[in-house]
Every structure is written in structure tokens, then in C-alpha cells.
Amino acid sequence: MTRSLTGRLTGRFGKWVVLAVWLVLAAVGGSLAGQLTDVEENDTVEWLPGSAESTAAFKEQADFASTDAVPAVIVYVRDGGITEADMAKAEADADEFRTFDALEGEVVGPIPSEDGEALELIVPLTIGDDWEAAPDLLEQVHEQADSDANGLQVEVAGPLAMVADQAESFSDLDGNLLIAAVVVVIVILLLTYRSPILWVIPLVCAGVAVTCAQGVVYLLARYADLTVNAQSASILAILVLAASIDYALLLVARYREELRRHEDRHEAMDFALHRAGPAVMASAGTVVLGMLCLMVAEMNSTAGMGPVLAVGVAVGMAAMLTLFPAVLVIFGRWIFWPKRPQFGSDEPTTRGLWAKVGAWIRPRPRRVWVTTTVVLGAMALGITQLNANGLSLEEGFTSEPDFAQAERVLGEHFDVGAGDPVVVIANADQIDAVASALDDNPAIGSVTDPVVAGDRGYVEGTLTLQPYSDEAGDAIEDIRSAVHAIEGSDAVVGGSAAINVDMQDASARDNIVVIPLVLAVVLLILIVLLRSLTAPLVLIGTVILSFAAALGVSGFMFTNVFGFAGADSSFPLFAFVFLVALGIDYNIFLMTRVREEAMRFGTRRGALIGLAATGGVITSAGAVLAGTFAVFLAMPLVFLAEIGFVVAFGVLLDTLIVRAVLVTALNLDIGRRMWWPSRLAKVDDVDEAEAPPGERTLTEARP
């Protein structure tokens, strides 16, 4: 049935039908992809832990104050003391800010500092759901505050300045990042194919896959409540591009083999799809299910990303198993110029680099896998230097952000938490007691008068600490203990500091829950695909070892080379999901081929043939994935730079060492027991001198 389907897709008539269908899909997808930003949900609640206390407080806060307010805190400083003219300037600015269309509440101030050298103005503004509007709004605030300053030092701090710096970091992400990734892919494809023409086809087909994936995600977000934010939309394009090129590389490699065995290119593609298609589907299926595992995450931003990326990979797989082979067949053998695979010619992989690597491993497999394991284990020791306890907002940038200086100036003269208060909501009959408990905390500089609406009350406290600091987190824990202890209060504590605490806790919980779930899913897929228990367990062991080594090297590099203060608490989870869900492709590419050859020649010879045949394509696929994720290193956000490094390094480690050397050595050492308890475990190895390819089969090996 599979052969019949692949034959129709790549037949003399079917290839044109497939091309026509995808041209229509590309046209429709292109028109929809441009609207993806219209359905992005970047409001605060979409990034918060679903069941966290701060999320509940944020939702209740709308009954008392605008949750859309993003305050700008303007600080006016004059060494030697503020003058009457300075006060008049600040008051005039306050009047101007009251005319802003984006104003969301009352302008507070100007408030003099205790040292008499500064004034503070708090201007609550709104950017709605369009956080990309923050930089322009911040510029308007600066223009007003900086005008006629007459020697005053003017700084703009607060949430608006922070959001503006973050928005600017993401503003060029979709465009520049994708362009950089495409350039990397083109270079790698040129080096891989050594053809001035062939690289165009997989790249164009991958581009169609990206466009259609974005279109499908848009439709699901518009009509099926799929949540998309700026982060998931940006990663979607990179992931679909990288995965699609990976699948193209595997298919081209098998198509080349079959062109040497079949004179008719349609028949060659039929065989190539029949044999490589299941590996591609299994690889894509693993990524899809791995991404869907993210849906159980507590973090809304993480849970929402899972289905978005899963949809993208599924669309990429569909394009590369239908459109790509159809286009290859339409163009014919000449597309491989100048090295066209001729019918009846020798298979070059039998004499290539990876065949030589296999020959080197063959006499000493146990020594090789033991040595490799020890080296990887030593690399994993760097995990002790990985501080994944979270980053402050300032530490989250690879270089000092603009708002950092403003925050320091603010902290020199005022409570640094001004404009970003701790929020406590409780039952109305206990709100006074709650306000008193809040005021008693030494980290709180001042407390507002309680506000009552219905049966609930609301109070704010200004932190004397930077809201995203560890000390502020400790203060939040103390505040929660105090207000929760008030009988009948039903108090919830929110605000930026509380959100930061809950995000760290949720990320730690997600690491514990999601990582084992992804491992279990991958193990089950490998069991079904390889029809074995031993091989999947061995492969999962190599996956864990490879991940630990990548994390260890990353921890060392982040601390000693890049100088990062640490890593986000969600870093281990994202690193694991991307490395394992994507890296498992190479396990599948290698082991499905080894299994195919083991049915003919036994496991040991099958392992050598499989390595020789797939080593080149796995290396190229790994280089594509590593190269596309490496472009994240140019991003100004520490989280993205760290993800870029760990995925790029981890994938190269996986393709060059773990899959090629460690797994091959284990295959050679364990032999046919690798396939226990299937019938393949009973197939004896065939020596090269005994039989030519195809002479011994699984049927002949049965007792």
C-alpha cells in the first residue's frame, strides 16, 4: 500500500498534481502568514504560570485598576539640589503627559526625593496587546521629558522602559533571524551537494513549508483558540526551516542511491520514498509528540508553544514528503550537476569518510564506546557550573540594556520599586489587617490606602528592592506567609516581583514533569519503530548522556567565556526538548537504516553499512540544525543566546560523536542482541567475504 501511494505521488502524472496542489497552498498560506502577528497574544497573562497565585491576582486586579498600565517612571536629577525651575519643568511635563492618548490612569507627582536632589513622576501608560508599540511610546516620553531640561539629568525607568528594551530585542527577530538562518542553510547545502543548482530546490520547498505552517497556525489561532505569542511565532519559522531541510537531506541521499540502481527516476523516487519515508515520518512524529508534551507545562508561554511548533513540524514533513520529491522528479537527474548519479555506477559512500570511521571502530568497539562514554561523562561535569536559578531582568540581556542606568539612578534617590508595586487582594473585611501586614515587611517602603470593591479589597506596597532581584523574591515569600496567616483573608499576592517568583517555581516544576514525559514518549516511539526493547533503551541512554555533556559544556562556557550571570530556570527544559526531540532524528535516520541492512547481513555488518550510508547525511543535517540555531547567539537576550549555543553545540556533538561513534560502537559490541526480543535478534552476522549484498535474508535466517 505504501509503495502504491509513493508511486502515485511521484508518477508521471501524479507529480504535476502534487505541484499544483502545493502552489495553491503556498499562495493561500502566503496571504495568511502575513496576518500571523495580528493573532499573537502577548498580554501578560499569556506568559504566566496558569495556576500561580500571581496569575490569580493579576486577573482580580482588573476589578480595581487597569492591568494594561505600563508605568513610565521619569526621574529628574540635579546635583546640589532641585530648583524651583526644575519643579516647574516637572509639573509642566506632568500636564503634557495627562494629554497623552495612551494615558491609563492618574499621573503621580512630581515627588521630591528625601535628599532633595531628584524628582519622580509616575505616568501610567498603555500599549494594549501591541508590545511592539512600547519603543515608540518610550521615545515620546523621552522627547517630552528631555525638552528644555536646562542641565537636568533625565532618566526614564519603570516597566515601560523594560518592555521597550525587550520589544526592540524582538523587533527584528523574525526578519533578520530568518535571513541569517537561510544564509547558513544555503552555505551548508552548497558544501553538501557541491552543486550550484540542487540547493535551490530543498530551500524553496522548505520556504513553502514555513509559509504554509505560518498560515495553518494563523487559522488555528483565529478559529480554534490556539495561543501564539512573539516567542513561539519566531521559533516556528526557524524550526520548520531546519526540520524541513533535515528531511530533504535524508530523502536526497536515498534518492541518489536509488538513481544508481534504477534507470527510471520515477521508480528510483518510489523506492527512495518507500524506504526513507518511514524514517522521516517517525522523526517528525517524534518531534510533534515531543512538542505536544509541552502542553502539560505550568508556564502558559511554554504550554502554548508546544502545539504551535508541533503544527509547524507536521506541515514541514508533509511538504518534504510530497512537494519536494515531486519537484525533484520533475527536474530529473540533471539537477545534480556536475556530479549526476548514473544508473549502474558505484555507491561512493562505501568508500567515504564514515565507511573509514566504521572500519576503524570495528576491531575495537568496546574500547571505543567506553572511552567515548568517559569523555562525555567528563564533559557533563560542567553542569556544576550551570546556575539555572533564573536571571534578573537586567541580567537577561547580553549587554547592559538602556533601562538599567535609569533603574540605578532611580534607586539612588527613591524606592526602586516605584511604578511596579506589590499587589495584595483579599476579602474586604480583612483588607486593613492585610495592609498592616504588608506595611510591616521591611522590604516595603510605603503602602497605599486600601480600596474596596464588593467583597474584595485591594492594596499596593512599594518595594525598596529591585522587583526582579533574589532579595525581592525572598520578600514576596515573607509577605505571602504573613497575609496567608490572616484568618479569613483569602489573600493573593501579585505584581512583577511575585510573578517572577511564580515563574521560577513553575519552570522548576516543568523541568521535573515534562523532561521525563518527553523521554517516555521518545522511548515508546523507538520501541514501535525498531521493534525492540534493547535498542531503544540503549539509544535513550546515549540521548541522556549526550544531553548531559551538552549541558555541562554550556554551563562552563556561559560562566567562563560568555560571562553570563546564569540561565533562566526554564533553560534546561527548552534545551532538553530541542536537543532530544530534534536530535532523535539522527538516531532514527541511523538505526532504521541499520535495521534494514541487519535484516540482510546481520547487525554488525548492518551497523557499518548504515553508518557509511547515513553518516554524511546525518552530519549535513546536524550542521543545518546547528547553523540555524547558532544565529540565536547574535540575539541580545541571554535566554535565546544560551538556547542557540546549547542546541548548536549539542547537535554537533550528537551527530559527530554520539550517533557516529558511540552508537556504532555499541551496535558492533552488542551485536544481534540489540534487537531483542524481535526475530532480528536471531539473525547471524554475514562476513563480507561470504555473501554479496542481498544474499542472506531474514526469511533464510529463521529456524
Side-chain angles (χ1 to χ4, degrees):
M1 183 174 65
T2 305
R3 283 287 308 281
S4 175
L5 177 61
T6 56
R8 290 174 183 173
L9 289 174
T10 58
R12 300 182 187 279
F13 174 73
K15 61 187 179 185
W16 297 106
V17 174
V18 170
L19 178 61
V21 169
W22 275 102
L23 287 175
V24 172
L25 292 176
V28 175
S31 65
L32 297 176
Q35 304 176 58
L36 184 57
T37 54
D38 296 340
V39 294
E40 287 182 7
E41 297 183 20
N42 293 311
D43 53 309
T44 304
V45 75
E46 298 300 335
W47 296 79
L48 301 182
S51 61
E53 182 175 334
S54 58
T55 306
F58 183 83
K59 293 176 179 178
E60 275 200 82
Q61 189 174 341
D63 296 332
F64 301 92
S66 172
T67 55
D68 292 332
V70 185
V73 180
I74 299 98
V75 186
Y76 304 88
V77 180
R78 186 180 295 277
D79 292 338
I82 292 294
T83 67
E84 291 184 5
D86 296 336
M87 177 63 78
K89 152 69 175 169
E91 289 174 345
D93 285 348
D95 290 338
E96 286 296 324
F97 289 135
R98 291 185 180 100
T99 67
F100 274 31
D101 293 337
L103 189 67
E104 187 78 10
E106 295 294 326
V107 176
V108 178
I111 305 169
S113 63
E114 291 184 2
D115 61 13
E117 293 189 339
L119 297 171
E120 178 184 55
L121 202 61
I122 301 175
V123 184
L125 300 167
T126 180
I127 55 175
D129 292 336
D130 184 14
W131 75 329
E132 292 181 352
D136 291 337
L137 187 56
L138 179 64
E139 185 177 354
Q140 294 177 39
V141 173
H142 267 295
E143 287 178 356
Q144 178 59 46
D146 292 337
S147 63
D148 301 321
N150 295 322
L152 269 176
Q153 178 185 355
V154 181
E155 302 287 351
V156 181
L160 178 64
M162 300 177 193
V163 172
D165 277 352
Q166 288 180 315
E168 285 188 338
S169 299
F170 277 97
S171 61
D172 296 326
L173 181 62
D174 291 343
N176 293 346
L177 201 59
L178 189 57
I179 290 172
V182 168
V183 171
V184 169
V185 168
I186 290 174
V187 171
I188 294 172
L189 289 178
L190 283 170
L191 293 174
T192 300
Y193 292 142
R194 300 174 187 175
S195 167
I197 307 168
L198 179 58
W199 65 272
V200 177
I201 296 180
L203 188 62
V204 169
C205 292
V208 171
V210 170
T211 299
C212 291
Q214 290 173 329
V216 172
V217 169
Y218 166 78
L219 291 175
L220 292 174
R222 182 72 181 271
Y223 301 107
D225 289 332
L226 180 66
T227 300
V228 186
N229 58 38
Q231 179 176 269
S232 58
S234 300
I235 295 177
L236 172 67
I238 299 298
L239 181 62
V240 175
L241 175 67
S244 298
I245 294 296
D246 272 10
Y247 304 147
L249 287 166
L250 180 65
L251 187 59
V252 168
R254 197 58 190 255
Y255 180 44
R256 264 179 162 162
E257 286 187 46
E258 300 302 333
L259 283 172
R260 295 185 175 94
R261 298 170 182 161
H262 303 275
E263 190 168 7
D264 183 85
R265 67 180 187 274
H266 301 87
E267 186 178 5
M269 182 57 79
D270 183 9
F271 274 87
L273 267 180
H274 176 63
R275 288 170 175 162
V280 171
M281 287 188 284
S283 299
T286 304
V287 177
V288 168
L289 292 176
M291 295 301 170
L292 290 178
C293 289
L294 293 176
M295 294 176 68
V296 305
E298 179 70 13
M299 288 290 295
N300 286 344
S301 55
T302 303
M305 181 184 292
V308 171
L309 300 185
V311 168
V313 171
V315 173
M317 177 197 69
M320 305 320 282
L321 286 181
T322 54
L323 172 63
F324 181 57
V327 174
L328 281 178
V329 172
I330 287 172
F331 280 99
R333 293 176 189 262
W334 72 267
I335 200 68
F336 291 93
W337 183 87
K339 293 186 177 181
R340 291 183 292 178
Q342 300 295 334
F343 173 61
S345 61
D346 291 336
E347 176 56 51
T349 57
T350 59
R351 305 181 304 276
L353 170 65
W354 295 108
K356 295 175 182 177
V357 170
W360 175 79
I361 297 173
R362 183 181 180 184
R364 56 186 74 83
R366 185 165 300 176
R367 189 190 313 167
V368 169
W369 74 254
V370 169
T371 302
T372 305
T373 300
V374 170
V375 171
L376 292 173
M379 294 167 68
L381 295 177
I383 292 177
T384 57
Q385 296 192 42
L386 181 64
N387 174 18
N389 295 321
L391 298 167
S392 70
L393 199 60
E394 183 178 340
E395 292 170 343
F397 289 80
T398 56
S399 58
E400 185 177 71
D402 292 339
F403 76 83
Q405 178 182 340
E407 290 291 319
R408 282 197 298 272
V409 173
L410 174 65
E412 290 171 1
H413 302 280
F414 299 95
D415 289 339
V416 73
D420 204 353
V422 175
V423 171
V424 186
I425 302 172
N427 288 335
D429 57 353
Q430 295 294 336
I431 193 63
D432 290 332
V434 166
S436 178
L438 178 62
D439 195 29
D440 287 343
N441 190 283
I444 297 296
S446 61
V447 174
T448 62
D449 293 330
V451 177
V452 174
D455 59 354
R456 297 287 277 175
Y458 176 91
V459 65
E460 291 181 354
T462 301
L463 279 168
T464 59
L465 305 168
Q466 215 285 338
Y468 297 93
S469 65
D470 291 339
E471 293 77 13
D474 294 338
I476 291 297
E477 298 291 355
D478 292 340
I479 291 169
R480 283 178 169 168
S481 296
V483 299
H484 292 168
I486 299 174
E487 189 174 352
S489 67
D490 291 332
V492 289
V493 178
S496 296
I499 287 173
N500 188 53
V501 169
D502 290 341
M503 289 178 70
Q504 304 305 327
D505 291 344
S507 295
R509 174 263 181 197
D510 290 345
N511 291 339
I512 296 172
V513 173
V514 179
I515 288 177
L517 181 60
V518 173
L519 271 179
V521 168
V522 170
L523 178 61
L524 288 175
I525 291 174
L526 290 175
I527 289 173
V528 173
L529 180 67
L530 301 177
R531 304 170 195 177
S532 162
L533 289 177
T534 305
L537 290 172
V538 169
L539 294 177
I540 286 294
T542 65
V543 163
I544 295 173
L545 181 60
S546 177
F547 171 68
L551 217 58
V553 171
S554 296
F556 176 84
M557 295 293 289
F558 296 163
T559 302
N560 301 288
V561 178
F562 295 116
F564 296 151
D568 189 86
S569 52
S570 63
F571 170 76
L573 173 60
F574 279 93
F576 182 84
V577 169
F578 282 122
L579 278 177
V580 173
L582 296 175
I584 202 66
D585 283 2
Y586 312 125
N587 266 319
I588 292 173
F589 291 172
L590 173 63
M591 292 303 290
T592 52
R593 186 58 183 266
V594 170
R595 189 179 190 281
E596 178 185 332
E597 301 298 339
M599 295 176 70
R600 303 165 66 192
F601 310 116
T603 298
R604 290 189 171 88
R605 189 177 172 200
L608 297 175
I609 297 173
L611 175 62
T614 65
V617 66
I618 288 176
T619 302
S620 298
V624 167
L625 188 59
T628 50
F629 270 85
V631 300
F632 281 113
L633 285 166
M635 292 301 298
L637 297 178
V638 168
F639 175 73
L640 290 178
E642 290 181 339
I643 287 294
F645 178 84
V646 73
V647 173
F649 176 80
V651 165
L652 291 177
L653 179 69
D654 208 50
T655 55
L656 297 175
I657 304 299
V658 178
R659 294 305 136 242
V661 178
L662 179 59
V663 173
T664 298
L666 287 167
N667 275 326
L668 291 171
D669 194 22
I670 298 174
R672 63 183 182 179
R673 290 169 295 178
M674 184 69 83
W675 309 108
W676 182 88
S678 71
R679 293 195 307 271
L680 190 54
K682 301 177 182 178
V683 177
D684 294 326
D685 287 304
V686 178
D687 188 76
E688 287 89 337
E690 282 186 28
E695 182 172 315
R696 189 172 175 84
T697 65
L698 178 59
T699 303
E700 293 172 341
R702 290 177 183 171

